[in-house]
Amino acid sequence: MEESENAQEWIDGFMKNVHEPTVEDFKNLARLVKDKSKRMKGLYADIASKVYAHAIHTDTDEIFKLSQGANFDEIESALTSIWHVYQQVWQMYENGRAPEMSIGKYPYIEEVVDSINRAGRAG
């Protein structure tokens, strides 16, 4: 209320519809990530550690060999589930909304593609 000059006009109506998060909400959200990232161990953990986190392998041939068994749809699914949970927690915190338990498409696909295209033209 201190940060909004006219909060007294809308706060009561807003608070009537606020969802109060439960432990079950967070368990359900965690389950979404767990289901979508079951296969992110083994090969994917090695790639993440050896190529990206610790840069042990910097040779493109080594990176290619290490990545051959990777399924990018699985990686995208796992990352999208994490993004979804982040968004749901933010909506519960900032807007008092109940979490949605169905994962939609990543909303910023065009921005990612555009940035990759720009980087390709610049390099």
Side-chain angles (χ1 to χ4, degrees):
M1 289 190 60
E2 294 171 4
E3 295 178 17
S4 176
E5 291 179 17
N6 66 343
Q8 68 281 358
E9 296 173 17
W10 56 266
I11 197 76
D12 290 336
F14 176 80
M15 293 304 291
K16 287 179 187 175
N17 297 316
V18 167
H19 172 76
E20 187 173 336
T22 64
V23 171
E24 198 61 30
D25 288 336
F26 289 97
K27 285 181 181 180
N28 289 335
L29 288 169
R31 210 170 289 120
L32 287 176
V33 172
K34 185 177 179 182
D35 290 345
K36 296 292 182 182
S37 61
K38 286 178 186 173
R39 298 188 31 93
M40 291 298 111
K41 296 175 178 79
L43 172 65
Y44 298 106
D46 286 345
I47 293 169
S49 177
K50 293 178 181 176
V51 176
Y52 298 103
H54 303 288
I56 294 168
H57 296 294
T58 56
D59 178 65
T60 55
D61 290 334
E62 283 294 319
I63 293 169
F64 176 76
K65 287 177 191 172
L66 195 58
S67 302
Q68 275 191 303
N71 179 323
F72 290 99
D73 289 335
E74 289 177 344
I75 296 169
E76 182 179 5
S77 179
L79 292 174
T80 302
S81 71
I82 293 167
W83 174 256
H84 177 78
V85 169
Y86 164 79
Q87 287 291 65
Q88 298 313 301
V89 170
W90 177 251
Q91 289 298 329
M92 285 189 290
Y93 171 75
E94 183 69 15
N95 298 313
R97 293 187 183 147
E100 295 177 16
M101 295 302 164
S102 60
I103 299 171
K105 289 189 172 205
Y106 181 70
Y108 303 107
I109 291 171
E110 287 185 36
E111 287 87 340
V112 172
V113 171
D114 289 346
S115 67
I116 290 170
N117 289 337
R118 279 193 306 274
R121 287 190 298 264

